[in-house]
Amino acid sequence: MKLSRIFWLTILIHAAFASMRVSATLYGLHLGASELTVGVIMSLIAFLPMLISVHAGRMIDQVGPRRPMILGAILLVAGLSVVVAFPRLESLFFVTSICGLGFLFFHVAVHQAVGLIGTDRERMRNFSLLALAFSTSSFLGPMMAGFCIDWIGYRATFAASTVIAVLGLIAAISDKSDIARPTQAATATKRRALDLLKTPELRVVLAVSGVLSMCWDLFTFAVPIYGVRIGLSASQIGLVLGAFGVAIFVVRLVMPMIAHRMREWPLLIAAMIMTAAAFGVFPLIQSGLVLAALAFVCGFALGSAQPTIMTLIYRLSPAGRAGEAVGIRSLLLNISQTSVPLLSGAFGAAVGIAPAFWLMTVLLGFGSWHAHRRARLSRPA
């Protein structure tokens, strides 16, 4: 499968998934669900993936990425079809569970596919291109959801997301080529995922990835709730989320130039500091335009980290176990996606959404300080 095919396939599948996230949040609130209930619904996106992400990574190491990518697209289509057929609150619990499971398979497989293309020197460029695909869909998905909800309603919006996912499935099935499996997969010996964490730098990279993922999940979950609370329309909320996606696209477009001027650790630390500053003031603002500007800052910071993290994971992983390492990263991301909506929903129901942003600001400050210390220790003497 060529890199260009993977690029367009990723845009289709992730746009459908990102649209589903926004639509499910706003539809739950529209149906009268509490913020805590919506938090439970959104946490289900990551619950099943949290249980099987490491095993999924091992499986993808063994069978290659193509079939898991197709499986992920099938599950996404199936999940979206349920809420189109049965547009009610109960359906959202099923839809988020199935779509989350499908996106896990696609997400791990597509990163494995890109990691197996080209040489080590080309990997940063390849992951930057994949990141561009994700950032493009991060912009298109929420924007489409917001405007479609205002114009044609919730059920038709879910139907539009289903059509996009079907197009992605057709694109995945129609490409008969496959990418070679890892050549040194250690299938003869018993492997434990915790063994991968014995590499100190890989362990710290995964920890930083987890913290930044929590920020991403808080932003995408809390913005629709906060927007509804301050009286923004669905299209205005979509514009705020769209500004986040545009910033991710912009920063990933210039990532190759940034990577030549900044080492990995200073880049990751700067991302945490910028996100902390934006999160600190976000819940004090009620203007849609100012919120969009802050969303752009968040997107620029968080979007700069992912290509660097993926490059480091592939560089530091043992031969033949990169998919498993990505599975561990997906486990951390899914723990975040399960816990952050639940905790944010509880905060929102009890005391408002602002404390969740401020708590994350403190965590980012501590994380950047700790990452700075570890980066100093990892420098050659």
Side-chain angles (χ1 to χ4, degrees), residues 29 32-40 218 221-222 225-226 229 340-356:
L29 295 172
S34 68
E35 293 175 357
L36 180 58
T37 300
V38 173
V40 172
L218 174 61
F221 172 77
I225 292 177
Y226 183 64
R229 179 167 289 184
V340 168
L342 282 173
L343 295 175
S344 300
F347 269 113
V351 294
I353 209 71

Side-chain angles (χ1 to χ4, degrees), residues 124-246:
M124 177 61 118
R125 177 186 66 86
N126 293 343
F127 277 123
S128 295
L129 287 173
L130 179 64
L132 272 176
F134 276 112
S135 60
T136 301
S137 49
S138 294
F139 164 71
L140 293 176
M143 286 281 290
M144 183 195 77
F147 283 105
C148 284
I149 289 169
D150 282 344
W151 292 345
I152 60 177
Y154 287 97
R155 188 176 190 179
T157 300
F158 282 113
S161 300
T162 306
V163 171
I164 294 173
V166 169
L167 292 175
L169 176 60
I170 293 171
I173 294 175
S174 63
D175 192 318
K176 303 299 182 181
S177 62
D178 200 359
I179 299 167
R181 303 174 193 176
T183 57
Q184 302 181 44
T187 56
T189 58
K190 185 176 181 180
R191 301 181 299 177
R192 296 189 310 162
L194 292 178
D195 292 339
L196 293 174
L197 301 181
K198 292 180 180 179
T199 304
E201 194 172 359
L202 179 59
R203 185 169 63 243
V204 177
V205 169
L206 290 170
V208 170
S209 177
V211 171
L212 294 175
S213 174
M214 291 174 65
C215 298
W216 197 304
D217 294 328
L218 174 61
F219 186 87
T220 55
F221 172 77
V223 164
I225 292 177
Y226 183 64
V228 169
R229 179 167 289 184
I230 64 175
L232 299 183
S233 67
S235 53
Q236 287 176 310
I237 294 170
L239 285 172
V240 174
L241 293 171
F244 181 77
V246 168

Side-chain angles (χ1 to χ4, degrees), residues 328-376:
I328 293 177
R329 177 178 180 264
S330 294
L331 171 63
L332 297 175
L333 268 58
N334 289 317
I335 291 173
S336 169
Q337 291 172 10
T338 301
S339 59
V340 168
L342 282 173
L343 295 175
S344 300
F347 269 113
V351 294
I353 209 71
F357 277 97
W358 293 332
L359 181 62
M360 192 60 66
T361 300
V362 173
L363 181 60
L364 284 164
F366 175 78
S368 61
W369 171 77
H370 183 67
H372 177 69
R373 290 186 61 212
R374 293 308 300 260
R376 291 180 59 189

